[in-house]
Amino acid sequence: MQPLSGVTVLDFSRVLAGPMATQILAELGAEVIKVERPSIGDESRCFEPQLPHGESAYFFAFNRGKRSVTLNLKDPRGQEIARGLARKADIVVENFLPGTMDKMGLGYDGLALENPGLVYVSSTGFGQTGPYSARKGYDTIFQALSGIMWLTGHPDGPPAKAGIPVCDLTSGLWIVIAALTGLAGRGTDGRGCHLDLAMMDVQTSLLALAAARLFALDEDPVRSGTEHPGRVPSAAFQSADGGWLHISASDQHWLPLCRVLGLEELSADEALRSNAGRLAGRARVMEALREAIAGREHGPLVEALRAVKVPVGKMNTVREVFDDPHMLARGVVGSFDHPTEGVFPALRTPLRVSNAGSPEISTPPLLGADTESILKENLGLGEAEIAELRTTGVI
């Protein structure tokens, strides 16, 4: 039994943030019913890279463990079926533009009349209110608007996007937080709620440290590459054999770092023994460190620094991450057996639950694979009714 066993999620979301969130809920035990368009499905089913039998690796990454039902939500009968499913759901997740679900009779106010305990999470670009609420947006747009892109890259270069879709991924985590908050909150009186979650708000919340600097110093933060704006040294360095490593040293690590690198002149300077002093002397410190590290071999240097407890990390490629012995020991990669694509690797949910074990890696659904069984189980429809719905394009 996983922690969310017995919880039913009706998932109207598409592409990344919403599907990521509902996959997490599914792998923690919830039953997730994914509502998709007939014949087309979630548009991410068409995203690259495509696998040999036409499935999408992108779709596989965020839709494991769900049941797929196809519904034409523009058809009144499709809308009525969706309302029937919502009457039995604990959580609804949707990421349409504000007002879209209301027009289909699937907004929170209407559904809550028949299911007062419903927890309804609306994840949109800019929220349900405000002058931008009707705008569409994508991950990189939010990276630009939120200041994340402005802060990413090197000081002498242009702004850069993060190497992962950080806005979508963090919004997905906040959808999970919202859903669990709603579930916990209804324990007092049994009533659910509508949770308004804007991707732009989520990204702005990630500026906590940058905002603190702005508020404290009235200083607009700028790009700093791999360097930490408030700690020296905390940066990436290249070694003699071309390898990269990242060192992040506090005051207690400063003298051991200098000893390993043979920087007696720096270690003898009393002013550099505090982070404030090293911040003031950043240029001198960084130049000396770069020169010293450029003359050392990567592997032995990393080991020497670890031996004196200086925080250091080898800079891995993505492939190297999955060959790392610690990651192998933690079992971060598993697999599922898909009916058309066969055995396919997948990342495990990182949560480990003491009394339930690691959540299983489940298989992503084929489009509409569960339509018939869901309509029978949840709404009591018969074979003839289902066949008529299929013939007329409702499912």
Side-chain angles (χ1 to χ4, degrees), residues 287-330:
E287 181 181 1
L289 289 175
R290 289 191 185 101
E291 183 177 340
I293 292 170
R296 301 285 292 269
E297 294 295 313
H298 181 270
L301 176 57
V302 169
E303 291 306 312
L305 291 173
R306 285 181 180 153
V308 294
K309 303 191 184 319
V310 172
V312 59
K314 174 182 178 291
M315 194 174 294
N316 287 325
T317 67
V318 174
R319 185 183 299 277
E320 287 171 335
V321 172
F322 299 124
D323 290 332
D324 185 288
H326 182 76
M327 295 296 97
L328 293 172
R330 293 287 291 174

Side-chain angles (χ1 to χ4, degrees), residues 8-9 11 26 80 98 101 136-137 162 164 184 188 251 275-276 288 300 317 328 334 370 384:
T8 299
V9 180
D11 181 14
E80 182 52 41
M101 293 292 276
K136 295 180 179 180
I164 57 173
T188 56
D251 290 348
N275 186 60
T317 67
L328 293 172
D370 307 288

Side-chain angles (χ1 to χ4, degrees), residues 46-395:
C46 299
F47 288 3
E48 296 293 339
Q50 291 285 299
L51 299 171
H53 295 90
E55 296 293 326
S56 164
Y58 189 112
F59 181 84
F60 277 9
F62 300 109
N63 289 282
R64 300 193 303 269
K66 306 177 187 180
R67 303 175 74 193
S68 172
V69 57
T70 51
L71 280 181
N72 180 359
L73 295 179
K74 294 182 179 179
D75 187 297
R77 290 175 296 174
Q79 295 166 5
E80 182 52 41
I81 290 171
R83 283 192 288 273
L85 296 175
R87 281 193 285 272
K88 296 187 175 183
D90 297 286
I91 300 168
V92 162
V93 176
E94 61 94 6
N95 62 351
F96 290 95
L97 284 173
T100 303
M101 293 292 276
D102 289 315
K103 290 176 183 176
M104 296 187 293
L106 297 170
Y108 171 72
D109 290 339
L111 296 183
L113 290 175
E114 298 185 71
N115 183 357
L118 186 65
V119 173
Y120 191 107
V121 183
S122 293
S123 173
T124 57
F126 296 96
Q128 301 296 308
T129 60
Y132 301 165
S133 61
R135 292 185 186 178
K136 295 180 179 180
Y138 295 95
D139 178 89
T140 48
I141 299 299
F142 297 116
Q143 288 194 41
L145 285 171
S146 67
I148 290 174
M149 196 175 288
W150 180 257
L151 292 173
T152 305
H154 289 276
D156 56 353
K161 75 175 187 67
I164 57 173
V166 63
C167 298
D168 282 322
L169 296 171
T170 52
S171 293
L173 294 176
W174 267 100
I175 293 170
V176 175
I177 293 170
L180 298 181
T181 298
L183 280 184
R186 74 177 186 177
T188 56
D189 60 6
R191 297 193 64 82
C193 59
H194 185 197
L195 296 120
D196 172 11
L197 191 62
M199 289 182 69
M200 185 63 184
D201 293 353
V202 172
Q203 302 326 301
T204 303
S205 76
L206 300 181
L207 297 177
L209 292 176
R213 189 174 188 85
L214 175 65
F215 300 156
L217 304 176
D218 195 26
E219 176 186 296
D220 201 354
V222 295
R223 291 182 291 286
S224 58
T226 66
E227 293 189 37
H228 192 293
R231 177 185 294 172
V232 175
S234 181
F237 301 90
Q238 192 169 25
S239 58
D241 51 1
W244 286 88
L245 61 152
H246 197 284
I247 296 170
S248 187
S250 298
D251 290 348
Q252 69 267 33
H253 310 119
W254 175 242
L255 291 180
L257 173 63
C258 289
R259 283 197 296 270
V260 169
L261 295 176
L263 297 174
E264 290 82 5
E265 181 183 346
L266 293 188
S267 64
D269 190 334
E270 294 285 343
L272 298 180
R273 295 193 179 185
S274 72
N275 186 60
R278 294 192 298 275
L279 279 171
R282 179 191 290 270
R284 174 190 171 202
V285 171
M286 292 302 294
E287 181 181 1
L289 289 175
R290 289 191 185 101
E291 183 177 340
I293 292 170
R296 301 285 292 269
E297 294 295 313
H298 181 270
L301 176 57
V302 169
E303 291 306 312
L305 291 173
R306 285 181 180 153
V308 294
K309 303 191 184 319
V310 172
V312 59
K314 174 182 178 291
M315 194 174 294
N316 287 325
T317 67
V318 174
R319 185 183 299 277
E320 287 171 335
V321 172
F322 299 124
D323 290 332
D324 185 288
H326 182 76
M327 295 296 97
L328 293 172
R330 293 287 291 174
V332 298
V333 178
S335 64
F336 55 82
D337 193 356
H338 190 267
T340 63
E341 302 292 352
V343 176
F344 193 82
L347 294 181
R348 292 187 184 278
T349 297
L351 189 63
R352 305 291 188 266
V353 184
S354 64
N355 62 352
S358 179
E360 292 297 319
I361 291 181
S362 305
T363 304
L366 293 169
L367 178 60
D370 307 288
T371 301
E372 194 165 317
S373 59
I374 287 171
L375 296 184
K376 287 178 178 178
E377 294 167 13
N378 289 270
L379 302 179
L381 299 188
E383 298 280 358
E385 293 172 284
I386 293 172
E388 194 272 334
L389 290 170
R390 196 178 300 280
T391 300
T392 54
V394 177
I395 61 175

Side-chain angles (χ1 to χ4, degrees), residues 27-49:
E27 295 197 334
L28 291 176
E31 180 190 27
V32 177
I33 299 173
K34 183 176 179 68
V35 178
E36 303 189 69
R37 292 173 295 174
S39 304
I40 300 171
D42 185 323
E43 49 262 56
S44 69
R45 287 185 179 272
C46 299
F47 288 3
E48 296 293 339

Side-chain angles (χ1 to χ4, degrees), residues 10-29:
L10 187 59
D11 181 14
F12 294 99
S13 67
R14 303 97 64 214
V15 185
L16 203 165
M20 171 190 169
T22 54
Q23 175 175 280
I24 293 171
L25 298 174
E27 295 197 334
L28 291 176

